[in-house]
Amino acid sequence: MRRSWLFFSLGSVSQVCQVVLLRELLTLAEGTELTIAFVLGSWLTFVAFGSFAATRLLTRKGQRLDPVLAYSVASTFLAASVFFDLWLIRFSRTLFSLPPGEPLSVAQWLAVAIAVLLPVCFIVGAQFAFAASFANPSGVYIAESVGAVIAGALLSLLLLRWFDHSSLSSFFLALHLLLSSALLWRYLPNARWVSAAIGAVAGLNLVFAPLVEQKTQTAFWKSMFPAAEKVHSVASPYGSIAAIKFSDQLSVYQNGHLLFTLPDQGDVASLAHLILLQYPKPRRILLIGGLGGWVQATLQHPKVVRVDWVELDPTIPQVVLTLLPRRERGLLSDPKLRRYTADGRSFISQARQTYDVVIVVAPDPTTAASNRFFTREFFSEVLRVLRPGGVFALHGLREPPAGFGELYFARNHCVYATMLKVFCEVLVVPSSPLTLLGRCPVTPSMPDELARLTLDEKTLLQRAKERRLENINLFAFTDPIQVERVNYELKTGLPFNPLEREQAKILRPKWLNSDTNPTVYFLSSLLWLRMGSEKFARLLEFFVFLPRWSIWLLALLPFGFWLVGRMKSASWAAPATTIVVISSVGMLAELTVLLTFQARFGTLYLQVSLLFALFMLGLALGALVAERNEASNSIRALAFLSLATSTSTLVWLGLALCFPKVPPVIVAVSCGCFMVLFGGLVGAAFPLTVKAMRLSGIDGSKAAGLTYAYDLIGGAMGAFIFGAILLPLWGIPNLLFLCAFLCLAAAIICSAQAKLP
Amino acid sequence: MPDRREFIRNLLLGSVGTFAVICNCQYASSQTRRKNSNTPLVEIPQRWWKPLPNNRLQCFICPLNCVLSNGQVCGCNTRLNVNGRLMTMAYGNPCIISLDPIEKLPLHHFLPGSQTMSIATAGCNLRCLYCQNWQQSQVRPDQLRNYNLPPAEAVKKAKEHGIRVIAYTYTEPVVFWEYAMDISERAKSEGLKNVVATALFMNREPVREWCKVTDAFAVALKGFDDEFYRKVVGAPLKPVLDAIVTVKSEGVWLELVTLIVPTLNDNMKQIRDMCLWVRRNLGAQVPLHFGRFVPEYKLRNLPRTPVQTLEQCRDIALDVGLQFVYLFNVAPHDANHTYCPKCKTAVIRRLGFKLTSNDLQRGICPKCKTRIPGIWQL
């Protein structure tokens, strides 16, 4: 057991590599969370290949490969692979000769992701096999998990805030190399020169890391925007922030995705005033996001006494403010302005005061993170902090300039319908991007002319005059034709144009957008896919129009699989079915925990490493406990495990639905605990299945191999199919119910199998 | 007990089965769409294509000059070879029918303030990375839900709604040229006007033919660098320049539009070269519009064009001697207005696409009596 602890650095470096590469690949995919599912699924698969290949290498007849030597040498290849990967990711745009501003297509992203993940995962898997060959496998598993947990915690709580990816990787790789070197020095005296060489590589690793970071970042930005001058970049806890100067504009990017550009050419100020003119005397304003023009405009509106401005990522204002002209910087030290650094939703959910107007400047809901500002739950939270008659403005929903596009249309209608469920009145401003105005129920004391939202230019200019607000141009937002068009289309789902209306048959999904059922996010993801792969996107669109009840057809799959196995007299079918079910459910559950965490706290970017590590810890603990189970009881134990997974899924669902009302600390702790729990359930399934396979007549190593294969299939299914496709489409509650049922089915199958001769 | 071979065989069978399910889903999805979209096939006159051996043919409508095998679709996504005959899928089945102000095309010197009925089908023979209508332009007509609007019906609809101008725009009229031509002929005979907003990547002969039934062209000259054209637009530059000169030589009203994309086509030397070319080949009185790029489609990580850049482009164009230079997608801005080239009075004022005042008297400046080129009356 003591030897096993020498391999804890494998867990650390594996965890760091996983998080760093995931974050880098997220940047290439413009932050779309669908990629998380792919990365997780691929990680499992490739690690398994590496482990399998190394095991074969070690167990071949006549093989004299020393596992310690192999392990140590593999560490150097790991270090090289990680730096190669960082280089590949940041040079990928140049390699594909993409013009500035063009993101990678889906196919290109997949190619880069596989090229990046395969070598690293393969080596990590191989190193595990080498380590397990040298020391107690269970001990190595546990040591690896502990290493992963420690690294995950350090990353989330400390290191990701201060260090860039190259530095982080190089530090942990250096540690791993040094430990490998020490291991070799201790246990293979004949190879001390190799040990010394590995130690030297560790040193070189640390020396070259800053250079690699600088060169690759420069190359990335040069390919993105060659003519621009990159003035500032910083690793924020929420993403990699870069401020780019071009002509008189400053553009801010987060994770390679354009967030906003300053100055806003005057449009924003007029729009902000238009919003504030909807309320009789707006005194207290809450502004979420909207650095630059929004802040200034709200401060300059007459009668406003206080503006609470909430910005999630404190790095962005810090970066931008130092680069804005002095005159504009001065406005932001206005005494009426109070700045808060917090997630917008958390701020609203905990706010005690009420506001006259709440303005949310959100990015287009192309990611699960941004989708949070377009959900029913969020709208309800906003309604709570608005005074009677208060106005809510949501700015950020894109529509194609021509006004057409089935997917955009379906998506935007979903947002409108969701908002109308919460607010008594919704009006769409034809800005670019769109601004949706919502109003609270008014009080009887409110003057009639101010009781309704309006985009009548004359009325608004009159109000502006009364407030002594001069030089505002509202035409762009009050053109009657455009106002009528956008409102008609978003409200009715029909084209405004009478020529089209005669013949239009536009279908749209009938679901609202919520935290647990992110329909808008799914439709945005379809748009992202369609830009790169028309055929794949069309296939996924097919799922949009399937009725909800069709999901339950999947529940019959375990029975089908088992029955086919029984027909072939394969008594191993029951444990095989069970491990596929538990692995896929475990993977899906892991993803739902991540999404729920993100929905509550606004971001996963910083905490993802800790959450992954907790899952790994659960895997190890589960495997350890299950190892001690009696072989003769394994099929019954599998039945019990399936039941436990089913119950855990339902309990998790119940808790997750209560999270909006629960203090953040409890949410965070619950997410952590459930990560460990689900990891434990998946981890326990493996040894139990191996034992059950052996009981059904399959011999030792073949049982392990088969179990591994089915475990992978389940994990991949959980990630790719459930996680990437069905989860955003059908929502968390539906899928978790389905998972509970699948586990129940597996439990029934195992119980039935236990009773059969 | 499964051995390795059996396991791999089962896995392969499972993969094939999954693939078959996926294909069926795709087929079902495409069939659903096909049922909802009428996709007629109309034969194209043989003047514009040439039969080749083995049931192949070559299309000559645009400079792609596609050689098609039986069943193959052109690069424009609308024409295909059916048993040795060239047919079009884009006829009578527009995917966009809209009512728009004429300033949106943009045409500033053609019946200002009038409303147009805009028609477009799916498809395009270019592959612009920043296409604003990519969901319609980068697909085939049979992949979209379309409307049923034969040429006679289109003209009837326009007249019913009091529209005097029919516009062929949004996607790329070159790819539904046959349909546009038939509508135009009927519209012309009924006293309506026809205008086209196009990138004009088209061979000269069909352009000449088109000029006979068209009253104005708004041509997108997307840049003045062949490398930019090939990489970002997906076609060479020279055929576009030749086509533009052809339109001018046919005496049809012409306005040029250039969307300025940051870092890609905003090189001021190239802008100057372009303006000089316009002046030499088309004349100083051809209106030129510089547009502000909006991030879309595959270039969504580039910021909008700085207004300063657009103003610089305009200054260069005026400096070179072009008389009517506008900025679009930037409002309000003084460059939205039309100024008399002699006395510099703003004779037509606009706020974006909205006409706010028109002081021209039959195309004459009210102050200095200079004739402003354009088509100001029906």
Side-chain angles (χ1 to χ4, degrees):
Chain A
M1 190 67 177
R2 258 188 265 169
R3 273 188 187 183
S4 309
W5 287 101
L6 295 168
F7 300 102
F8 88 90
S9 67
L10 179 60
S12 306
V13 81
S14 167
Q15 183 66 23
V16 169
C17 290
Q18 189 181 59
V19 168
V20 162
L21 293 178
L22 174 68
R23 283 159 59 117
E24 290 280 332
L25 288 169
L26 260 179
T27 303
L28 275 189
E30 300 177 281
T32 307
E33 288 91 346
L34 291 181
T35 51
I36 297 179
F38 179 84
V39 170
L40 286 181
S42 304
W43 190 274
L44 283 176
T45 310
F46 297 150
V47 165
F49 282 155
S51 192
F52 175 74
T55 307
R56 290 286 302 225
L57 197 62
L58 287 171
T59 55
R60 249 181 20 196
K61 271 185 191 170
Q63 183 52 258
R64 287 186 195 163
L65 181 67
D66 185 273
V68 172
L69 181 65
Y71 178 90
S72 304
V73 170
S75 302
T76 57
F77 284 110
L78 183 63
S81 297
V82 170
F83 282 112
F84 166 76
D85 285 352
L86 286 175
W87 175 87
L88 178 63
I89 289 170
R90 292 171 186 178
F91 270 86
S92 56
R93 294 177 43 76
T94 311
L95 288 173
F96 287 118
S97 303
L98 293 177
E102 182 180 352
L104 266 63
S105 68
V106 173
Q108 289 168 338
W109 185 88
L110 284 173
V112 171
I114 291 170
V116 155
L117 294 170
L118 183 57
V120 168
C121 298
F122 194 89
I123 295 169
V124 164
Q127 284 202 290
F128 177 81
F130 296 142
S133 173
F134 176 71
N136 179 291
S138 301
V140 171
Y141 200 22
I142 291 166
E144 196 197 20
S145 303
V146 169
V149 171
I150 293 173
L154 281 174
L155 283 176
S156 287
L157 300 174
L158 198 63
L159 300 177
L160 282 170
R161 295 171 194 271
W162 302 109
F163 297 101
D164 56 66
H165 288 164
S166 295
S167 306
L168 281 173
S169 315
S170 70
F171 173 76
F172 281 91
L173 282 166
L175 179 68
H176 186 52
L177 285 163
L178 286 172
L179 278 172
S180 306
S181 167
L183 191 73
L184 197 58
W185 188 277
R186 168 76 175 81
Y187 288 100
L188 216 60
N190 294 339
R192 284 189 175 168
W193 64 272
V194 177
S195 173
I198 292 173
V201 168
L204 283 172
N205 185 46
L206 283 171
V207 163
F208 281 112
L211 195 65
V212 165
E213 179 70 16
Q214 191 208 351
K215 291 280 182 208
T216 53
Q217 283 285 7
T218 304
F220 177 78
W221 285 108
K222 216 173 165 57
S223 72
M224 268 292 259
F225 210 159
E229 178 198 337
K230 184 173 156 216
V231 293
H232 201 82
S233 75
V234 62
S236 109
Y238 304 98
S240 155
I241 306 295
I244 307 291
K245 193 159 169 35
F246 179 70
S247 183
D248 60 342
Q249 284 180 171
L250 187 72
S251 299
V252 175
Y253 289 77
Q254 184 181 59
N255 293 335
H257 181 57
L258 178 65
L259 277 187
F260 59 85
T261 298
L262 297 173
D264 289 308
Q265 313 300 336
D267 287 357
V268 161
S270 298
L271 183 56
H273 289 306
L274 179 149
I275 293 167
L276 295 171
L277 286 170
Q278 304 292 330
Y279 192 83
K281 283 174 193 165
R283 294 168 63 80
R284 294 174 61 107
I285 315 296
L286 172 61
L287 176 64
I288 296 177
L291 180 65
W294 290 94
V295 178
Q296 292 162 16
T298 47
L299 286 170
Q300 287 166 354
H301 196 85
K303 308 290 183 195
V304 167
V305 299
R306 181 166 147 179
V307 176
D308 287 349
W309 176 38
V310 181
E311 182 62 58
L312 171 64
D313 189 344
T315 318
I316 294 178
Q318 273 167 25
V319 163
V320 172
L321 287 178
T322 55
L323 300 169
L324 283 177
R326 190 172 291 179
R327 184 188 65 84
E328 292 185 36
R329 252 186 282 159
L331 283 169
L332 295 175
S333 51
D334 190 312
K336 290 189 286 188
L337 179 70
R338 291 194 200 188
R339 290 165 59 178
Y340 297 90
T341 303
D343 170 57
R345 276 192 66 165
S346 297
F347 184 89
I348 285 184
S349 65
Q350 288 159 38
R352 299 271 185 266
Q353 61 275 23
T354 54
Y355 297 93
D356 300 317
V357 178
V358 174
I359 302 175
V360 172
V361 182
D364 195 50
T366 52
T367 63
S370 50
N371 181 66
R372 298 162 63 241
F373 294 102
F374 294 84
T375 63
R376 187 176 184 166
E377 291 87 347
F378 176 61
F379 297 152
S380 301
E381 288 164 6
V382 168
L383 191 67
R384 189 186 63 81
V385 302
L386 277 175
R387 293 215 171 114
V391 173
F392 168 53
L394 176 60
H395 175 83
L397 197 63
R398 288 182 72 181
E399 65 163 359
F404 303 103
E406 214 174 67
L407 274 178
Y408 265 117
F409 187 84
R411 186 193 75 159
N412 293 355
H413 171 75
C414 185
V415 174
Y416 181 95
T418 306
M419 204 159 151
L420 199 58
K421 273 286 176 189
V422 176
F423 293 93
C424 56
E425 190 190 352
V426 175
L427 189 61
V428 185
V429 183
S431 54
S432 178
L434 293 174
T435 306
L436 278 72
L437 302 177
R439 163 156 261 155
C440 253
V442 299
T443 55
S445 58
M446 187 167 276
D448 282 345
E449 65 270 19
L450 286 164
R452 291 194 66 84
L453 298 168
T454 179
L455 290 177
D456 176 60
E457 192 182 10
K458 209 169 151 191
T459 308
L460 290 170
L461 287 175
Q462 178 60 32
R463 289 182 194 173
K465 196 174 166 188
E466 285 162 14
R467 296 184 196 187
R468 299 209 179 108
L469 196 58
E470 288 165 1
N471 295 325
I472 61 166
N473 191 325
L474 299 177
F475 166 71
F477 312 118
T478 56
D479 178 11
I481 295 176
Q482 294 306 318
V483 169
E484 203 179 347
R485 178 185 68 80
V486 294
N487 280 278
Y488 185 92
E489 287 178 345
L490 265 67
K491 184 178 173 183
T492 65
L494 293 172
F496 174 67
N497 186 329
L499 292 168
E500 293 176 67
R501 213 181 302 154
E502 288 165 20
Q503 303 194 47
K505 285 178 193 129
I506 295 179
L507 297 176
R508 61 182 187 275
K510 295 184 175 107
W511 314 317
L512 298 181
N513 190 39
S514 68
D515 288 337
T516 51
N517 195 348
T519 311
V520 165
Y521 167 48
F522 180 75
L523 293 172
S524 296
S525 304
L526 280 187
L527 267 170
W528 176 71
L529 281 171
R530 212 207 258 195
M531 286 186 205
S533 169
E534 174 76 28
K535 284 185 180 165
F536 190 50
R538 293 271 182 209
L539 170 65
L540 294 187
E541 277 173 40
F542 174 76
F543 285 102
V544 171
F545 300 107
L546 283 179
R548 285 275 178 99
W549 57 260
S550 58
I551 190 180
W552 292 103
L553 295 174
L554 290 171
L556 300 173
L557 278 180
F559 293 110
F561 187 78
W562 181 56
L563 285 171
V564 166
R566 289 294 303 167
M567 275 160 48
K568 290 186 172 186
S569 306
S571 52
W572 50 266
T577 306
T578 306
I579 195 162
V580 168
V581 166
I582 293 180
S583 300
S584 55
V585 166
M587 176 60 74
L588 176 71
E590 185 187 358
L591 289 170
T592 61
V593 172
L594 293 174
L595 281 178
T596 307
F597 185 93
Q598 184 180 62
R600 189 66 169 84
F601 294 104
T603 179
L604 260 184
Y605 197 69
L606 192 59
Q607 297 82 355
V608 67
S609 54
L610 182 57
L611 291 169
F612 280 173
L614 288 171
F615 189 83
M616 299 291 291
L617 177 67
L619 275 178
L621 290 174
L624 191 67
V625 167
E627 269 287 327
R628 293 180 185 167
N629 173 265
E630 288 293 326
S632 60
N633 285 337
S634 9
I635 196 74
R636 285 203 183 89
L638 268 179
F640 178 73
L641 188 69
S642 303
L643 260 180
T645 310
S646 180
T647 311
S648 305
T649 309
L650 290 171
V651 170
W652 164 244
L653 172 62
L655 268 179
L657 291 173
C658 298
F659 277 166
K661 296 168 185 137
V662 158
V665 165
I666 296 180
V667 173
V669 169
S670 304
C671 287
C673 291
F674 271 89
M675 277 301 237
V676 175
L677 175 61
F678 286 124
L681 292 166
V682 174
F686 188 90
L688 288 176
T689 306
V690 171
K691 287 175 190 172
M693 292 271 198
R694 284 185 192 146
L695 274 180
S696 60
I698 301 175
D699 68 41
S701 61
K702 283 188 175 150
L706 208 59
T707 304
Y708 211 8
Y710 283 114
D711 188 21
L712 273 183
I713 289 170
M717 252 175 57
F720 298 134
I721 298 174
F722 286 160
I725 300 172
L726 299 182
L727 179 58
L729 176 63
W730 280 327
I732 293 175
N734 282 311
L735 272 193
L736 287 178
F737 270 123
L738 175 68
C739 289
F741 190 85
L742 285 170
C743 291
L744 189 60
I748 293 170
I749 288 167
C750 286
S751 302
Q753 184 68 34
K755 290 192 173 111
L756 290 170
Chain B
M1 174 193 81
D3 62 13
R4 188 171 54 206
R5 253 187 218 168
E6 204 175 301
F7 178 75
I8 290 172
R9 191 193 71 192
N10 289 341
L11 196 61
L12 278 173
L13 279 173
S15 305
V16 166
T18 308
F19 184 67
V21 168
I22 290 171
C23 287
N24 273 320
C25 286
Q26 262 193 5
Y27 179 71
S29 176
S30 65
Q31 284 296 91
T32 307
R33 291 186 178 276
R34 206 161 275 144
K35 268 189 211 156
N36 287 338
S37 74
N38 45 352
T39 314
L41 287 179
V42 172
E43 187 166 355
I44 295 170
Q46 206 170 331
R47 185 179 170 190
W48 308 112
W49 56 276
K50 179 177 84 177
L52 297 174
N54 300 325
N55 243 0
R56 294 179 311 143
L57 57 84
Q58 186 169 21
C59 170
F60 293 114
I61 293 173
C62 85
L64 291 176
N65 295 325
C66 299
V67 172
L68 305 176
S69 307
N70 189 20
Q72 199 177 357
V73 177
C74 254
C76 61
N77 276 333
T78 57
R79 300 179 181 102
L80 75 162
N81 177 351
V82 177
N83 297 322
R85 294 178 304 158
L86 184 64
M87 313 285 264
T88 176
M89 288 189 275
Y91 194 98
N93 55 347
C95 60
I96 298 175
I97 311 173
S98 176
L99 299 174
D100 294 312
I102 200 160
E103 280 77 12
K104 197 175 171 185
L105 262 72
L107 281 172
H108 280 19
H109 288 232
F110 188 92
L111 303 178
S114 55
Q115 209 172 27
T116 70
M117 182 173 91
S118 302
I119 295 174
T121 72
C124 185
N125 58 351
L126 299 175
R127 299 287 174 261
C128 303
L129 297 180
Y130 51 91
C131 183
Q132 307 288 295
N133 304 306
W134 60 272
Q135 293 186 69
Q136 292 79 31
S137 70
Q138 302 303 303
V139 295
R140 300 195 317 258
D142 61 340
Q143 290 172 319
L144 282 186
R145 226 178 304 278
N146 300 315
Y147 308 109
N148 183 21
L149 194 72
E153 193 65 22
V155 175
K156 185 179 162 206
K157 287 280 176 214
K159 290 181 82 171
E160 268 170 16
H161 288 86
I163 304 293
R164 304 310 306 272
V165 183
I166 300 179
Y168 310 92
T169 175
Y170 284 113
T171 51
E172 175 47 71
V174 168
V175 307
F176 60 95
W177 173 63
E178 302 82 2
Y179 177 44
M181 285 282 289
D182 285 355
I183 298 177
S184 300
E185 278 164 8
R186 285 171 201 272
K188 191 168 174 171
S189 67
E190 301 268 351
L192 303 183
K193 299 288 186 190
N194 297 287
V195 299
V196 177
T198 171
L200 212 60
F201 183 60
M202 196 178 202
N203 286 324
R204 281 194 255 193
E205 267 310 304
V207 171
R208 280 197 192 94
E209 202 62 27
W210 210 354
C211 288
K212 291 176 187 169
V213 293
T214 305
D215 299 286
F217 278 89
V219 178
L221 180 55
K222 297 177 188 268
F224 207 66
D225 174 50
D226 191 64
E227 196 191 330
F228 164 82
Y229 247 84
R230 284 181 193 276
K231 210 167 176 186
V232 180
V233 174
L237 170 62
K238 190 171 181 308
V240 176
L241 298 178
D242 292 343
I244 292 173
V245 168
T246 305
V247 167
K248 185 67 184 170
S249 66
E250 293 294 316
V252 179
W253 181 254
L254 171 68
E255 299 190 26
L256 295 179
V257 184
T258 303
L259 200 71
I260 302 294
V261 185
T263 79
L264 292 180
N265 68 347
D266 58 353
N267 179 298
M268 290 304 152
K269 185 183 176 305
Q270 282 174 9
I271 299 287
R272 180 170 284 273
D273 290 344
M274 181 181 86
C275 295
L276 284 168
W277 181 90
V278 169
R279 182 152 183 207
R280 273 190 227 117
N281 292 275
L282 307 176
Q285 295 190 326
V286 166
L288 174 58
H289 305 259
F290 289 111
R292 193 179 189 201
F293 160 80
V294 173
E296 186 57 59
Y297 193 31
K298 297 189 178 184
L299 294 188
R300 51 191 184 273
N301 281 327
L302 281 180
R304 292 190 186 200
T305 318
V307 176
Q308 211 178 61
T309 304
L310 292 173
E311 288 167 350
Q312 237 180 313
C313 294
R314 184 168 182 261
D315 291 340
I316 288 173
L318 291 170
D319 186 54
V320 154
L322 297 181
Q323 292 180 358
F324 305 102
V325 187
Y326 301 94
L327 299 186
F328 77 90
N329 275 355
V330 181
H333 198 284
D334 289 343
N336 296 156
H337 311 320
T338 300
Y339 296 91
C340 172
K342 193 173 175 189
C343 65
K344 311 298 177 198
T345 308
V347 292
I348 301 177
R349 289 182 177 275
R350 298 177 189 86
L351 192 52
F353 300 141
K354 182 180 174 182
L355 190 78
T356 52
S357 70
N358 183 356
D359 299 330
L360 281 184
Q361 293 154 2
R362 291 176 182 273
I364 307 267
C365 171
K367 195 170 174 191
C368 67
K369 309 301 176 198
T370 303
R371 177 167 287 282
I372 312 291
I375 295 171
W376 308 109
Q377 284 165 314
L378 274 170

